[in-house]
Amino acid sequence: MKLTFPHMGNTYIALKALLDTLQVDYYVPPTGSRESFELGIANSPEFMCLPFKKVLGDLIQGLNHGADTILFGNSRGQCRLSHYGDLLQNILHDMGYRFHYINLNFRDLTYGEIRNKLEPLLPGGISRARLFSAVSSAVKTIFAVDDLYSEACGVRCRECRRGDADLAIRRFEQRAKAAKGFSQTRRLIRETKDRLAHVPANGAADPVKIGIIGEIFLCSDPFTNLELEKKLGNMGALAVNTMSTSEWIRRHFISAILPIKPKDKAVRAAQNYMHTDYIGGHGIYTIGNAELMCRDGIDGIIQIYPFTCMPEITAKSVLNEVQLQNNVPIMTLILDEMTAETGYITRLEAFVDMLQMRKDRVRSRSG
Amino acid sequence: MKSHHGAEPSKLKVIGIPEGLMIFEQKQLWKKFFESLGCHAVCSGHTTKRIMNSGIELCCNETCLPVKAFTGHAASLCGKADCIFIPRYSSVCSHEKSCPKFCGLPDEVRISLNNKTKFLEIDIDFNRDSKKTQKSLDLLAGELGRSPKTVRDAFDSIVKPGLAAEVSPNRSCSYEPGAPVLAVLGHPYMIFDRLLSMNLIGKLQDAGYRVMTPYDVRRSVRRKNVAPFLSDSFFETGLDMLGGAQALVNLPELAGMVYLSSFACGIDSLVLEIIEHKIRNGRRIPFLKITIDEHSGEAGFDTRIEAFLDMLPNTESIRREKIV
Ligand code: SF4
Ligand code: SF4
């Protein structure tokens, strides 16, 4: 048995450590691979959302490299994600692949669910306690990795020498691929953080702060979002990503095991505009987080979503109003597989410049 | 919040009902519902060029044509009604769900129309939470100055049975024995709307075909024909299309299938793929996908249909019959 799974941002780092610990044989599809993406695009329905195409591409790579078992899942939400699994299996079968499909229930991602689905993979079986501790370590690792990336955002926009933060992260990613198990991964994260802390910073830098909102897969996956965080940082802007993988874990895993579900701050903030707490996907968080960041004094916001993403289109119509009410510029980036990097960079640069000018104007007025 | 046991008479006498999206099939229900509560209901009528254009102007560019049309319908009611009614359809029965765009539709339209007029909402979410419906009905009762019980009763007796109606109001009544059949698939608010569909059904009929849609098949049959999915609920129109297509594919007279879809429709991208997968692996009937948006020209549309019809095996014989 050999397992494979699709990428979503940097989750593979934690997932790899988890599978190492459980001694499951696996194949990680190449990260940041245009080739996988092209495979996914070529075999997907034209108007399926971008995340689907990316996921399909990764799985094809996995199956081509000897994997016979796929780990993915489905949610019970209102959107297409809940049917990715059906479609993936149809398409892969039509392509002639035969495989075993493990379907995690994302909406109810409890320890019990994880155990039910993973246990058959572990030939020798595993004690409940060991599995739980491994899964908790994986969750912690996801948080730690996200934390590392957001620290990198803070460093990148202030660094004296452009590229220091990128270099640290690149080194991290290279070494993470070879790391085995949780302790090595944790050590690597610590070392990288240390390295970032020692990047010489320009004390006078006062970067514009840009919030990132939108569809969660795109927000959290640097390959599909064309390294949005990195690009903004290298333009001297501080990127604040509201939709990281840990956000996803918080919503799907942590909230599934909590006995009482706390009312979400972002959902509450969205009620200024919406008479509902759910519009499919994470659309309501897009609106709510935009409103919250505006209240917190953000300089600008970027909404990013894949072409034809239904919840985000609804959210976009509402963001016009959020922008008017708060007088904070919101730019929307809609990505598809044809999005050209040059045009993308131009739009980002124009946006950052505009925000910088606005900020300077305010400062000179008050100063 | 207003008192629910409204002794005060409501000022909302005329209710505007936009005839698009989910209301397209169900406007009679909602009309009757409001009339039974002593209101006057005005519907926006067929989609016109004018309605379409105002919708295109008001909406965010990326959204699909039917949402734009719907917004245009709502806009056309401003000034003609005291308020506009936009239900929030999340799911009409358990294990089924609507397009996510319906879930935010009332808010989206309200904001697109700049809060110009008053809006009435009702939540319909029978898969997840039917209590929401009750709550929203009580609010509506307050707005209309009627007792919650009256409104709930009206909903239960008039609307609820029709939300997942066994027989569609849009079933075709024409029957020509022997004529070859073309199945037309797509959302009811697309295929039955003359303007949005560029009169697809009429054109196929003029070409000598009998047109059948999933809505000619009873709902229970449509549901029976659908394979199980991993997730415990599926899109309502998806089930209609898959189950309908499955029922129609077995008709011996079936000559082909046409799927009319709106550009960038998220639901269709998924459903189409599942239907094509079925056709690839089953009875291989000629299949045409047509995607339209506000830039689609009618000439190009007609050409594609003609090319498709030319390709069908028994075209010759129909043409001949029509000439004699
Ligand atoms: S939220 Fe957007 S990207 Fe995710 S499944 Fe829905 S349409 Fe696709
Ligand atoms: S189902 Fe498709 S056409 Fe209908 S509202 Fe949703 S995206 Fe638009």
Side-chain angles (χ1 to χ4, degrees), chain B residues 202-259:
Chain B
K203 283 173 184 165
L204 297 177
Q205 282 168 341
D206 287 348
Y209 289 91
R210 184 153 74 94
V211 171
M212 292 189 75
T213 70
Y215 299 93
D216 292 324
V217 180
R218 300 177 79 82
R219 186 185 168 99
S220 52
V221 178
R222 298 200 293 265
R223 293 301 176 272
K224 237 190 289 165
N225 275 312
V226 186
F229 292 100
L230 284 175
S231 186
D232 78 339
S233 67
F234 196 71
F235 299 110
E236 187 194 1
T237 48
L239 294 171
D240 287 336
M241 292 312 111
L242 295 169
Q246 194 67 31
L248 295 175
V249 98
N250 294 324
L251 285 178
E253 301 97 331
L254 187 73
M257 280 196 182
V258 182
Y259 198 122

Side-chain angles (χ1 to χ4, degrees), chain A residues 45 47-48 74-78 80 82-83 86-87 89-90 94 273-276 313 316-317 334, chain B residues 62 88 90 97-98 107-108 110 121 128 229-235 263 266 269 273 277 280-281:
Chain A
F47 290 117
M48 264 314 270
N74 76 294
S75 74
R76 291 176 52 213
Q78 193 89 17
R80 277 181 278 185
S82 37
H83 307 291
D86 291 304
L87 213 53
Q89 292 187 66
N90 276 355
D94 282 1
Y273 309 91
M274 309 299 283
H275 298 165
T276 178
I313 290 177
K316 186 191 172 202
S317 327
I334 304 165
Chain B
E62 287 74 38
R88 193 186 297 280
S90 301
K97 60 191 173 192
S98 59
D107 311 286
E108 187 177 343
R110 195 177 63 240
E121 291 172 21
R128 243 184 316 252
F229 292 100
L230 284 175
S231 186
D232 78 339
S233 67
F234 196 71
F235 299 110
F263 181 68
S269 67
E273 173 63 26
H277 169 82
R280 274 197 300 273
N281 294 299

Side-chain angles (χ1 to χ4, degrees), chain A residues 143 244-256 258:
Chain A
F143 277 82
S244 46
T245 357
S246 48
E247 233 358 78
W248 194 86
I249 293 289
R250 201 168 308 171
R251 301 215 189 290
H252 291 268
F253 178 69
I254 309 224
S255 93
L258 283 181

Side-chain angles (χ1 to χ4, degrees), chain B residues 25-98:
Chain B
E25 282 241 292
Q26 294 168 352
K27 68 168 181 191
Q28 289 306 336
L29 299 179
W30 292 113
K31 199 163 177 276
K32 259 201 243 154
F33 168 76
F34 283 110
E35 283 168 357
S36 83
L37 295 173
C39 303
H40 179 62
V42 277
C43 296
S44 54
H46 294 297
T47 311
T48 59
K49 277 251 155 65
R50 207 167 140 179
I51 286 182
M52 199 58 249
N53 288 339
S54 90
I56 291 170
E57 208 156 284
L58 287 163
C59 283
C60 111
N61 192 22
E62 287 74 38
T63 201
C64 55
L65 205 56
V67 166
K68 291 177 182 169
F70 186 88
T71 310
H73 277 279
S76 77
L77 290 164
C78 290
K80 289 192 197 139
D82 300 326
C83 62
I84 297 175
F85 171 65
I86 305 183
R88 193 186 297 280
Y89 275 58
S90 301
S91 69
V92 295
C93 63
S94 52
H95 306 299
E96 296 191 13
K97 60 191 173 192
S98 59

Side-chain angles (χ1 to χ4, degrees), chain A residues 49 51 79-81 84 215 281 306 308-311:
Chain A
C49 26
C79 210
R80 277 181 278 185
L81 173 65
Y84 275 19
E215 192 279 322
T308 79
C309 173
M310 298 175 280

Side-chain angles (χ1 to χ4, degrees), chain A residues 197-219:
Chain A
H198 287 95
V199 168
N202 170 3
D206 182 18
V208 285
K209 213 165 144 188
I210 299 180
I212 299 174
I213 55 175
E215 192 279 322
I216 195 160
F217 190 97
L218 246 65
C219 285

